[in-house]
Amino acid sequence: MWNPIYTLFLALPCILASAEIEKPWLKSIITQECPDVEEIVSLTLSPLDLPGTIYGCNRTRANMVLQLKDKSQISKSVVVIALPSDPLREKQISESGLFEVDVNVYKNVLPRMEEFLNKTGLAEKKIWVTALALEGASRLVVEDWEEQNYKLVPRWDGLDMEQCKTSVENLARFHALSAALESQGIITAKKSFDLSLGQRNKDKIGDWYGKVFEEFAKSIRAAWGAGFEKIAEYFDEKSKTITNDILKIMKRDDSKFNALLNGAFDINNIYFKNDENQKPVGIRTVNFQNAFWNSPALDLQHFLNTSPKPELIGDDSKRGQIVEHYVKTLVKSLKDFGHEKSITEEEVASEIERTELVGIANAINVLSGLYMKAEDAAYADDFIKEALKTKQIKIDSRGMVLPKFVEVMKKIVNRSLKLGVCKC
Ligand SMILES: *[C@@H]1O[C@H](CO)[C@@H](O)[C@H](O)[C@H]1NC(C)=O
Ligand SMILES: *[C@@H]1O[C@H](CO)[C@@H](O)[C@H](O)[C@H]1NC(C)=O
Ligand SMILES: *[C@@H]1O[C@H](CO)[C@@H](O)[C@H](O)[C@H]1NC(C)=O
């Protein structure tokens, strides 16, 4: 989801009071959905994420026992997504526009998509949760997806082939839906989500990826063993241009097929529902903070380089199968949704080739945070607070020497060497 090491750009202190989650407020939200509710008998709040694992928001689960007008009682749970209450971080997240993007997607895009799916009899194909309340750019209340049996796969395990296919098939449908609705004027995603988080904040972030690549080169020398000096040198050299290279790749070409991207479509943001044989039958994705309008290959690069199991992640033929499944669903969905234009497998393949470098950068950036253990969370949180206080862009590179990270990055780099993306 939100990798803590990614956002440490400068912020100014300011004091903002956070709103408490209280019964009267929740009751006003719940009764809009369910007018039969008379009273909230009990309310238990629990944090949804470990400190330090989700940077861009503070997610709290609110478990309630509700008394209905007929005096019977039911339990109900919702998730409150709010700006972090730490004043420095709250200010920074507000300025980055992350929360605004999330609220904007929940308010202006997802309901239109849902109406369209409902009308075409495809209601079961939705991949998002419904927002119950949207409070400006600071607080969002959504259905609790776990109450509907959608669960994460442990991020250390990675997704198996079946889960990967289910994920990209749903992603393809989402992309197709956005393109179809945009062309019919039902949503205005291209204008509203013109730039990615990195593009919007490029001056504040500075040479972020350059620093990440430098740290990565150091970690190769420290943790990869003998025989990798050439690769370390490559990443050192590449660190001088990588930020610009990435900005160039991210520059949208409006003559190509574009769609609304989730921007953070990975194992931390994909919740699966399984059938009785433990086969995935549907997904929910909750975080849209990084949504932007661009080439779908960017969502695929993010997914393919962060989410499959280690034995799939560096295997070109397995990746090919996942992409093929994506394209098949995309083409079919565009047709189903009445989009006049289509896309070919060659076009997607060429976009994937063009964006490989973004994929590698995503792997380094995301996996170094993803493979951290729960006991590292408190450290990551302190690291962020300290960096915010001292206003320095620092890279928390502890994750880069974890054995699992080293194992997976060796595979990803190996694949990139074969493809000619890395040249040593
Ligand atoms: C998150 O929100 C809860 C509920 O409002 C609050 O008690 C908690 O202090 C917040 N935590 C952070 C890190 O902002
Ligand atoms: C779509 O249909 C479901 C019932 O199948 C309904 O609960 C939901 O409110 C509908 N959504 C929209 C946006 O119309
Ligand atoms: C990298 O590729 C070579 C052959 O191209 C292979 O011998 C080696 O085992 C691979 N290493 C990893 C870590 O996959």
Side-chain angles (χ1 to χ4, degrees):
M1 182 147 282
W2 184 254
N3 187 348
I5 69 173
Y6 186 60
T7 37
L8 307 179
F9 43 89
L10 308 184
L12 297 167
C14 87
I15 308 297
L16 287 167
S18 258
E20 292 298 319
I21 300 173
E22 285 167 339
K23 279 187 192 174
W25 174 69
L26 277 176
K27 191 184 164 194
S28 68
I29 293 166
I30 297 294
T31 45
Q32 281 170 29
E33 286 297 303
C34 182
D36 288 345
V37 172
E38 192 172 70
E39 171 182 17
I40 299 179
V41 181
S42 74
L43 167 64
T44 318
L45 301 177
S46 52
L48 198 87
D49 309 294
L50 286 166
T53 53
I54 303 290
Y55 184 72
C57 55
N58 175 18
R59 308 195 297 181
T60 305
R61 174 166 280 125
N63 269 309
M64 293 166 284
V65 173
L66 303 174
Q67 178 162 304
L68 306 183
K69 296 222 164 92
D70 67 5
K71 305 298 173 203
S72 63
Q73 292 192 346
I74 56 165
S75 37
K76 170 86 190 155
S77 170
V78 297
V79 174
V80 181
I81 307 173
L83 280 163
S85 50
D86 174 74
L88 279 179
R89 204 182 292 188
E90 173 162 1
K91 169 106 165 118
Q92 189 192 42
I93 299 300
S94 300
E95 288 182 347
S96 72
L98 276 170
F99 217 84
E100 231 175 284
V101 170
D102 219 11
V103 169
N104 198 349
V105 172
Y106 272 101
K107 192 174 177 172
N108 298 314
V109 176
L110 302 180
R112 302 290 91 73
M113 287 184 164
E114 191 162 323
E115 277 164 20
F116 186 88
L117 286 181
N118 278 4
K119 250 195 340 222
T120 41
L122 295 165
E124 84 282 3
K125 300 296 188 195
K126 86 174 208 186
I127 63 164
W128 51 87
V129 291
T130 299
L132 308 174
L134 301 143
E135 296 188 0
S138 67
R139 201 151 63 161
L140 191 59
V141 182
V142 300
E143 300 171 311
D144 184 354
W145 52 94
E146 276 192 18
E147 207 173 53
Q148 303 164 6
N149 292 317
Y150 290 90
K151 293 200 175 70
L152 285 180
V153 170
R155 57 188 202 270
W156 300 277
D157 294 354
L159 305 180
D160 64 22
M161 198 58 176
E162 199 96 40
Q163 290 159 338
C164 285
K165 284 190 172 170
T166 302
S167 300
V168 297
E169 166 187 320
N170 282 287
L171 181 66
R173 231 179 263 120
F174 181 80
H175 287 161
L177 194 50
S178 73
L181 298 197
E182 178 78 15
S183 74
Q184 294 170 34
I186 299 173
I187 59 171
T188 55
K190 181 177 162 188
K191 186 158 150 263
S192 306
F193 308 98
D194 183 34
L195 298 175
S196 73
L197 172 74
Q199 288 170 319
R200 284 198 311 274
N201 293 285
K202 69 178 192 310
D203 296 335
K204 287 185 197 152
I205 294 173
D207 187 22
W208 170 264
Y209 275 108
K211 292 193 168 73
V212 171
F213 271 43
E214 273 173 28
E215 290 297 325
F216 183 55
K218 275 191 215 157
S219 76
I220 291 175
R221 295 190 174 101
W224 282 35
F228 294 102
E229 179 52 30
K230 278 246 147 33
I231 293 179
E233 277 167 23
Y234 168 81
F235 281 96
D236 260 341
E237 189 55 33
K238 196 73 191 161
S239 74
K240 295 174 189 153
T241 57
I242 183 69
T243 298
N244 269 332
D245 293 347
I246 285 187
L247 285 172
K248 230 184 268 167
I249 294 173
M250 305 279 289
K251 200 167 179 328
R252 188 178 67 225
D253 179 350
D254 282 327
S255 71
K256 289 183 179 160
F257 177 84
N258 294 308
L260 183 63
L261 311 185
N262 174 282
F265 191 73
D266 60 43
I267 189 163
N268 248 356
N269 191 23
I270 307 171
Y271 299 80
F272 293 90
K273 185 177 191 162
N274 292 332
D275 65 12
E276 62 277 10
N277 302 316
Q278 298 311 308
K279 296 263 179 257
V281 290
I283 65 162
R284 289 289 179 265
T285 177
V286 178
N287 178 1
F288 290 91
Q289 293 194 328
N290 297 287
F292 64 110
W293 185 262
N294 209 309
S295 169
L298 294 169
D299 258 357
L300 282 174
Q301 287 290 6
H302 184 97
F303 176 80
L304 291 170
N305 286 289
T306 59
S307 304
K309 280 185 174 301
E311 57 269 32
L312 302 177
I313 213 168
D315 184 327
D316 221 33
S317 108
K318 295 278 167 44
R319 288 167 75 118
Q321 288 172 34
I322 298 170
V323 172
E324 197 184 311
H325 193 66
Y326 168 86
V327 177
K328 233 172 57 194
T329 318
L330 182 64
V331 170
K332 180 175 184 310
S333 304
L334 285 170
K335 196 160 156 246
D336 289 350
F337 299 148
H339 194 51
E340 71 279 14
K341 284 195 218 122
S342 194
I343 188 162
T344 64
E345 204 162 324
E346 291 70 37
E347 282 171 301
V348 176
S350 119
E351 273 300 281
I352 289 192
E353 202 183 315
R354 186 181 71 78
T355 54
E356 283 288 356
L357 198 57
V358 173
I360 300 170
N362 272 329
I364 300 172
N365 200 28
V366 176
L367 291 177
S368 59
L370 208 67
Y371 291 151
M372 300 272 240
K373 294 285 184 195
E375 50 278 21
D376 297 321
Y379 174 92
D381 208 41
D382 286 344
F383 183 92
I384 293 163
K385 281 188 196 138
E386 198 46 42
L388 277 175
K389 244 187 262 156
T390 58
K391 301 186 180 177
Q392 278 177 345
I393 297 179
K394 287 205 295 188
I395 313 291
D396 177 4
S397 57
R398 282 167 316 146
M400 293 186 189
V401 295
L402 296 173
K404 180 117 183 175
F405 177 78
V406 173
E407 174 204 334
V408 172
M409 282 316 300
K410 279 184 180 170
K411 290 179 201 280
I412 289 178
V413 168
N414 216 8
R415 176 178 169 274
S416 307
L417 287 170
K418 275 185 215 140
L419 294 180
V421 187
C422 288
K423 295 181 188 73
C424 303

